[in-house]
Amino acid sequence: MANIGVDILHAATLLGNNNLVAIPTETVYGLAANALSEKAVVKIFEAKNRPSFDPLIVHVADVAQFEKYAQNIPDIALKLAEEICPGPVTFVLDKQPIIPHIVTSGHHTVGLRVPNHPLTLQLLQTLNFPLAAPSANPFGYVSPTMAQHVQDQLGQKVPYILDGGSCAVGIESTILDFSKGNKKVLRLGGMSLEFLEGKLKTKLEVQTSSSNPNAPGMLVSHYNPGKKIFVGESINKLLDEHAGEFADARIGVLAFRDYQPEIDKKLQRVLSPSGNLTEAAYNFFTMLRAFNTLPVDVVLAEWLPDEGLGRAINDRLKRASTN
Ligand code: TXA
Ligand code: MG
């Protein structure tokens, strides 16, 4: 099992010796290694069972570091980064040669992000290298938002988990592509489209499909909690439409605001009784993960309003329900 603690110097020593450390961020926990060391980064792919075509995000202490690891950065991207970092957003930019190909899966771009978590920012300031870190879950599974989630799934494979409590945002960063003249969203995430468009004073193209060669990790099937998931307009509608199919199934419910009266409350999770999308994002992965151990055969979930963080949660619900 991994040790869990708040010892930044211990984490820094492990990382300096090419070992893995799980780190807290405001979005989800990351499985970190020295991004400049191939020997360290290969351990991430092994521990997660991650296919080598899926590139890793590189985490840095501040925007001033961007020029060390990226080049041809458009002014608009740099200006935006200075305004909104640290925060739940990743910038895809042309990479500098110092970033090894294993990190970027052979692409000439690199995803850079300044995570907004005090422990990890302090850790990054201590290190003289950036941290490559995907979400700290086995490939294809639900992202971890607490140290214990990492322990449960990757505890055998990572020596140390830096414990930063529950992740404040709860869903992964929004990925913005500013490479090669692009201005696109590759992944909807913890920073809403409306907010980003407001900052940029322009509409953004959203291209999050797995067929986009510039978004190699956006797989159609992802975030699997080990149960079959159906998503619909409302739980009632799903129950009506699939009545025959569910006749003998034990049903779990992942609802937005309200419990479903005819189903045992213990088998239900409500994302935000007050209908707050930020609260729903905070609860989303923990509640989705709970169905893994609850005695249910199928999970019925309902779409959230397609605005703000609701859009990013819906994207994840769609991938979680695809197998
Ligand atoms: O919030 C987050 O972004 C978290 C925390 C730990 O920082 N990290 C995270 O990493 O979600 P991961 O590996 O689970 O998802 C990273 C996504 C993948 O879909 C990958 O394809 C994409 O980022 N990505 C990374 N580098 C890229 C690049 N150069 N071009 C396009 N997409 C890239
Ligand atoms: Mg992930």
Side-chain angles (χ1 to χ4, degrees), residues 28 48 50 54 134-137 140-141 143-144 172 187 222-223:
V28 301
K48 277 195 63 136
R50 183 177 175 110
D54 194 358
S135 51
N137 51 276
Y141 198 78
S143 303
E172 301 91 336
R187 176 173 72 184
H222 202 161
Y223 308 115

Side-chain angles (χ1 to χ4, degrees), residues 22-317:
I23 56 167
T25 81
E26 80 280 37
T27 60
V28 301
Y29 275 74
L31 186 63
N34 178 352
L36 306 183
S37 161
E38 286 188 32
K39 206 171 139 196
V41 171
V42 76
K43 291 183 183 172
I44 295 178
F45 285 91
E46 282 168 6
K48 277 195 63 136
N49 216 353
R50 183 177 175 110
S52 59
F53 63 75
D54 194 358
L56 306 175
I57 292 172
V58 173
H59 298 68
V60 295
D62 51 50
V63 175
Q65 310 281 316
F66 276 25
E67 270 159 344
K68 274 201 211 163
Y69 307 115
Q71 52 187 326
N72 312 322
I73 308 175
D75 285 346
I76 169 182
L78 206 54
K79 203 170 144 256
L80 179 68
E82 274 157 4
E83 238 182 288
I84 65 179
C85 295
V89 61
T90 294
F91 289 79
V92 170
L93 302 162
D94 291 346
K95 80 178 198 73
Q96 291 278 15
I98 190 174
I99 299 288
H101 290 299
I102 185 176
V103 172
T104 64
S105 300
H107 289 263
H108 295 289
T109 55
V110 60
L112 293 179
R113 145 163 161 77
V114 187
N116 191 12
H117 192 290
L119 276 186
T120 292
L121 281 175
Q122 218 182 312
L123 173 65
L124 285 165
Q125 280 152 12
T126 309
L127 302 171
N128 59 0
F129 50 80
L131 291 175
S135 51
N137 51 276
F139 182 67
Y141 198 78
V142 180
S143 303
T145 51
M146 294 181 203
Q148 189 61 42
H149 296 163
V150 184
Q151 179 74 297
D152 291 346
Q153 293 201 288
L154 293 176
Q156 308 287 353
K157 300 189 172 163
V158 49
Y160 194 62
I161 303 170
L162 199 55
D163 189 354
S166 290
C167 301
V169 174
I171 54 175
E172 301 91 336
S173 62
T174 302
I175 302 182
L176 290 175
D177 182 4
F178 281 107
S179 68
K180 302 176 198 75
N182 286 326
K183 208 185 325 168
K184 276 193 260 207
V185 175
L186 299 184
R187 176 173 72 184
L188 295 164
M191 197 170 268
S192 78
L193 194 59
E194 292 88 338
F195 177 82
L196 288 165
E197 288 180 339
K199 287 279 169 203
L200 287 167
K201 299 191 180 62
T202 173
K203 282 269 168 202
L204 279 165
E205 187 187 340
V206 180
Q207 208 180 71
T208 59
S209 99
S210 61
S211 57
N212 177 359
N214 293 324
M218 296 305 288
L219 301 182
V220 178
S221 173
H222 202 161
Y223 308 115
N224 180 355
K227 297 287 160 71
K228 178 124 189 70
I229 300 181
F230 293 84
V231 196
E233 218 173 282
S234 71
I235 306 295
N236 267 327
K237 244 185 156 172
L238 281 168
L239 285 168
D240 285 350
E241 283 167 10
H242 297 270
E245 214 175 318
F246 298 153
D248 299 317
R250 296 169 303 169
I251 295 173
V253 166
L254 180 63
F256 178 33
R257 306 184 62 146
D258 301 305
Y259 284 102
Q260 192 67 18
E262 67 269 36
I263 290 174
D264 181 355
K265 260 194 169 181
K266 289 199 283 299
L267 306 181
Q268 303 192 56
R269 294 292 181 273
V270 173
L271 290 167
S272 173
S274 65
N276 179 319
L277 293 169
T278 303
E279 182 183 34
Y282 174 81
N283 286 323
F284 180 65
F285 281 133
T286 302
M287 292 188 171
L288 185 61
R289 176 179 292 262
F291 291 107
N292 187 34
T293 46
L294 284 173
V296 300
D297 304 306
V298 297
V299 178
L300 309 187
E302 58 192 355
W303 298 118
L304 275 65
D306 221 13
E307 64 193 29
L309 297 191
R311 214 190 298 252
I313 298 170
N314 285 342
D315 177 87
R316 283 157 182 75
L317 274 177

